[in-house]
Every structure is written in C-alpha cells, then in structure tokens.
Amino acid sequence: MNTSPEPRPGCPVAGGSPAASATWDRFLDHDNRYDPYPLYARLRDTAPVQRLDDGAFLITGYDEILQVVHDPHISSDPLAGRDDVADAGPGLTAAFVMQDPPVHDRLRRQTMRHFGPPHHAGYIDSLRADITRTATALIDAFPASGTVDLVEAFAYPLPVMMICDVLGVPHEDEPRFHAWSMAIIAPPEATTPEEAEALQGEASAATRELGAYLAHLAEVRRGTPQGDLLSGLVNDDGAEGPMSASEMISTTIMLLIGGHETTVNMIANGALTLLRHPEELDRLRTDPSTMPRVFEELLRLEPPAQVTPKYIALEDVLVGDVTITRGSPVWVAWAAANRDPRHFADPDRFDPLRENRDHLGFGAGIHACFGAPLARLETQIALAELFSRLVDVRLVEDPPPYRRNPLLRGPSRLDISFGRVLPAATVS
Ligand code: HEM
C-alpha cells in the first residue's frame, strides 16, 4: 500500500487550486491530526474533485470516489502508461495492491486460496478462539486497576500476533519487522530534500531486508508445509501454479504490514470513540449482539485508512464537471466520503443504529480490502473483550496524541484508566 504522505515533487501545476492546496497542507500538518474532518468538509463542500498545486486530483465525494475506483482508466500501477521507468523499485514485483488486472486478479486469487472461501472456507472463523485467547491474555496482563496505554498494551500486539500466526512468522521476531515496517510506512518527517532522499533509501533497504527475511521463512516451508499462508503460497499446486518468488515476497510484505498497521488504528480509534459516547457503550454492553453494527459505524466515522494516494489516470476521465487529466495522480479520501452529507444523513454523528452502512472504510472496487473479514473479527473480539472486562473505564487524555502518518490515522498512545478488571471466567 502506498502510504507516503509526501506530495509529489515539482512546480505548482497550472489549474491547481491554491485554496484546496492550502487546506490539504493543513490536513498534512500533524497539529490537525486529532480532527481532520472540518478540513475534509471544506474541501468536499467547495468541490468533491479538486486539483492540488502539485497536479494530483483529490477526491472527497462519495459518488465521485466510487466512479473513479471502478473506472478501468484509473490505474493502481505506478508504472502504467510510463515508458521512462523500467522496474518497480528495490528488485521486487509490485504487490497486487499496486497492480492492475489481469496480474492483480491472478495474485489476489492465488493469495485468497490460502485465506478464505472457496478453497479455505471457514478459515477466518476458525481463528476466533485464538484471537479471543490472545485478547484475554493481554487484558490479564493489565494492572488490577489504574492506567494503561491501550495502544501499546492491547491494540498493537493483538493484530500483530494474529497476522504472524496467519502468515507463519514467529512472534519473537516482532521487534525486527516492526522496525522495518516503521521505516517503510511511517518514516520520520524529512526537513530537507537530502534527508527525504536518505529516508527513501532507508525505506528501500527495509523492504529488501524484510523481503529476505520472509523469503527465508518461505524456503524453510518448501516441501514441508506448516499450515500457514507462507506454506500455502510456496507449495501452491492450484490451477494457476505457484507465484514467482518475487511475487510471493511482495505479497507477504503487503500482508504483514497491511495486516497489522490498519487494525491497530481500528482498535484504538474504536475504543476512543466508544469511550467518548458512554451511552452507546452502555447500549453495547447491555446488548453485545449489536457489535457488528457498532463496528461498521466506527469504521465509517473514524476509518484508519483515511486517504489512498496511489491511483493514476491513464486517460482523461470526466468526473462530475472536472476532467482528471491523463497521467495525473488521483488521491481518494475514503474518510471524507464516509461523511459526505449527500450520502449519509447527519454524517458527523456516531449512530450505530443508522440503516445506511455502505461506508468506504475498507475501500471499494477491485482493490477493496483483502483482509476485511480478519479485521472485522479481530476488532469486534478486541472491543468486546475489553469493554466486558474493564470496570469504570475512562479516557485519561482527550484528544490523545496521534501518529504522524495522516493517511493511516490513529492515536500513538491511548491512556485509559479503570477501577477493576473482571476475571475472564466471569465473561459470558
Ligand atoms: C480495520 C483494518 C483495515 C482497514 C481499515 C483496511 C483498509 C483497506 C483499504 C481502504 C484498502 C483499499 C486500498 C486501495 O484502494 O488501494 C485495503 C486494501 C487491502 N488490504 Fe486492508 N484494511 C484493514 C485490514 C487489513 C488486513 C488485516 C489485511 C491482511 C490480512 C489487509 C490487507 C489488504 C490488502 C492485501 C489490500 C489490497 C487489496 C487489493 O489490492 O486487491 N487489510 N485495505
């Protein structure tokens, strides 16, 4: 997934809107991370498709995003339509999130064979007991009362352990791939072009090292499958054959990073939103069967994947009354669409009972989230375990500090206090 918040280099482009660019700059400013929604509203209310000074088109309207991500002339391949670039970077095939059909579809199918229906039907649901056990153990490690940083103690370790288990990555290697993952998706802010170049070099090196690490794990499993996704990919005997080694590595890097960075933010954003709405939290505690609706509303209102900056127009494409010109980058703001008043009534309101739940929190079109069933299960179990066991739980700081990345948004820490932890055995 391209999660770089850096605008593309270059001079301001004729026709770019200075007002939209200024609002976008404020969006990128970390000081506004705690509440980007008024900025989205300003952009969307002015025009749901706007051109920024660097030439990218920013889409903030719900219908406009759906049109763009379903248009075959809007590509996800950064090299499509370019004959001046030979390959995708540090020696790896681009992951399928950065590919167009037919390669995207083949790689996604080959991966899904080991993750979900029809070949692996029931697999995600079979993880329920493990996820619950892991969540329970993490809460058991909280102090008997007092405060914890929910990100560090719970929201981060749970999805990391689960995606490790899915892939076949040992838990004890977490510090190694966490460092690589941070260099790739959340580098520190560069203050000079030289620094930006150095950080880009570090990200490429981290990608290579993470790739080599996963290639080694896959080789160990060749001929001796261990029931995990890496084993499935390396020993695949399906009709389309196994992926190439390079495809397998870029796929597993994407799953390892995409599989936890987003869900960490989802659990933290979800807990924060529920604690801000005690009446809805009480309703959920009284009737836990409402959790699936609560989850969808949390994902609509506070989506971790705020903006995806990867699409490129292969031809001129008319969206509303704006022509997205050939060769332009297209940035889709899922989080702005999720609060588009033309689509959702009273969009800033947290309302788990709303009937309209067709949010774009998991994206849309052919690149809609591959891991959504796992993310749904993990987050729902996490929030259910947390709020059924912690008594008298409150936010210590609101708003909490936020991570730097504006595109994958979530708190960097979330301190909560609680009076007591109920034993897991008393949870029905
Ligand atoms: C709440 C947690 C999650 C959120 C909010 C989320 C969000 C998204 C979004 C918005 C996209 C579309 C990106 C685009 O259009 O380029 C996407 C794609 C993707 N996600 Fe997730 N994701 C989550 C969890 C996961 C998990 C757990 C996994 C892996 C197990 C995963 C793997 C992927 C992959 C592989 C794609 C690319 C799909 C394709 O190109 O066909 N995601 N996700």
Side-chain angles (χ1 to χ4, degrees):
M1 243 174 268
N2 182 355
T3 55
S4 161
E6 297 300 324
R8 285 153 206 262
C11 301
V13 169
S17 157
S21 300
T23 308
W24 177 250
D25 285 345
R26 291 187 58 203
F27 167 80
L28 293 177
D29 185 344
H30 186 240
D31 286 350
N32 292 316
R33 197 74 70 251
Y34 73 99
D35 186 13
Y37 298 103
L39 297 171
Y40 288 132
R42 183 178 309 172
L43 287 161
R44 198 182 47 227
D45 295 349
T46 308
V49 181
Q50 300 209 49
R51 190 169 210 195
L52 303 179
D53 277 348
D54 66 1
F57 284 82
L58 176 65
I59 324 271
T60 48
Y62 186 97
D63 291 340
E64 291 77 8
I65 288 184
L66 278 191
Q67 181 190 333
V68 160
V69 299
H70 287 97
D71 189 320
H73 301 108
I74 302 284
S75 167
S76 286
D77 177 355
L79 304 182
R82 294 186 60 178
D83 45 19
D84 56 332
V85 190
D87 78 36
L92 284 178
T93 317
F96 63 77
V97 70
M98 307 290 274
Q99 299 268 8
D100 293 334
V103 177
H104 163 272
D105 303 6
R106 171 180 58 81
L107 292 173
R108 183 164 169 140
R109 271 196 310 271
Q110 283 172 306
T111 312
M112 191 55 91
R113 284 170 55 77
H114 312 287
F115 188 78
H119 300 93
H120 232 44
Y123 171 61
I124 296 301
D125 207 48
S126 75
L127 299 174
R128 183 179 291 278
D130 276 349
I131 300 173
T132 307
R133 223 182 343 266
T134 308
T136 301
L138 290 167
I139 297 171
D140 285 345
F142 287 9
S145 65
T147 63
V148 289
D149 169 8
L150 202 62
V151 173
E152 189 186 10
F154 190 68
Y156 178 76
L158 179 64
V160 171
M161 287 192 230
M162 295 326 300
I163 195 66
C164 282
D165 290 351
V166 168
L167 284 171
V169 170
H171 291 183
E172 57 273 20
D173 287 346
E174 183 276 335
R176 297 176 72 196
F177 67 73
H178 182 61
W180 291 320
S181 170
M182 285 293 114
I184 296 167
I185 69 149
E189 215 163 351
T191 49
T192 63
E194 295 73 30
E195 214 180 321
E197 199 175 322
L199 289 171
Q200 185 54 48
E202 282 172 28
S204 297
T207 307
R208 274 194 302 275
E209 286 167 35
L210 181 52
Y213 166 78
L214 290 166
H216 170 72
L217 291 181
E219 267 325 297
V220 171
R221 287 159 172 75
R222 192 181 294 281
T224 48
Q226 297 176 17
D228 47 49
L229 199 140
L230 266 170
S231 299
L233 292 180
V234 77
N235 295 299
D236 196 317
D237 59 359
E240 293 175 297
M243 293 177 180
S244 71
S246 164
E247 288 170 342
M248 192 182 64
I249 299 313
S250 56
T251 300
T252 46
I253 290 179
M254 169 182 65
L255 291 175
L256 186 60
I257 294 182
H260 73 277
E261 291 300 343
T262 44
T263 315
V264 175
N265 291 334
M266 184 70 222
I267 295 171
N269 290 343
L272 173 63
T273 306
L274 283 167
L275 287 168
R276 281 175 173 166
H277 295 86
E279 68 299 343
E280 291 299 342
L281 183 53
D282 281 351
R283 202 202 299 253
L284 175 63
R285 281 175 160 143
T286 310
D287 182 2
S289 74
T290 59
M291 179 58 90
R293 301 180 70 131
V294 170
F295 171 86
E296 301 306 326
E297 177 66 350
L298 290 170
L299 184 51
R300 182 193 70 82
L301 196 74
E302 292 285 2
Q306 296 258 310
V307 179
T308 294
K310 67 161 192 180
Y311 293 96
I312 307 277
L314 299 178
E315 299 292 340
D316 285 0
V317 172
L318 185 65
V319 183
D321 54 2
V322 177
T323 299
I324 297 181
T325 44
R326 181 173 182 270
S328 302
V330 181
W331 296 25
V332 293
W334 315 110
N338 279 356
R339 295 192 187 206
D340 185 339
R342 294 172 303 165
H343 195 79
F344 294 101
D346 201 0
D348 294 323
R349 180 153 168 256
F350 178 51
D351 176 12
L353 295 181
R354 72 171 65 240
E355 286 306 320
N356 180 356
R357 291 187 286 278
D358 53 356
H359 61 75
L360 305 182
F362 282 129
I366 63 165
H367 293 284
C369 184
F370 174 91
L374 178 60
R376 280 195 169 95
L377 189 65
E378 280 177 1
T379 308
Q380 293 183 24
I381 291 175
L383 295 176
E385 287 297 308
L386 201 63
F387 290 118
S388 61
R389 293 192 58 197
L390 299 191
V391 177
D392 199 16
V393 49
R394 293 172 210 281
L395 292 169
V396 171
E397 187 183 12
D398 190 11
Y402 274 82
R403 294 167 154 213
R404 294 215 74 80
N405 192 328
L407 310 180
L408 283 182
R409 173 174 171 271
S412 55
R413 56 179 297 139
L414 185 61
D415 289 333
I416 56 162
S417 69
F418 49 92
R420 196 155 65 93
V421 184
L422 296 177
T426 66
V427 178
S428 57

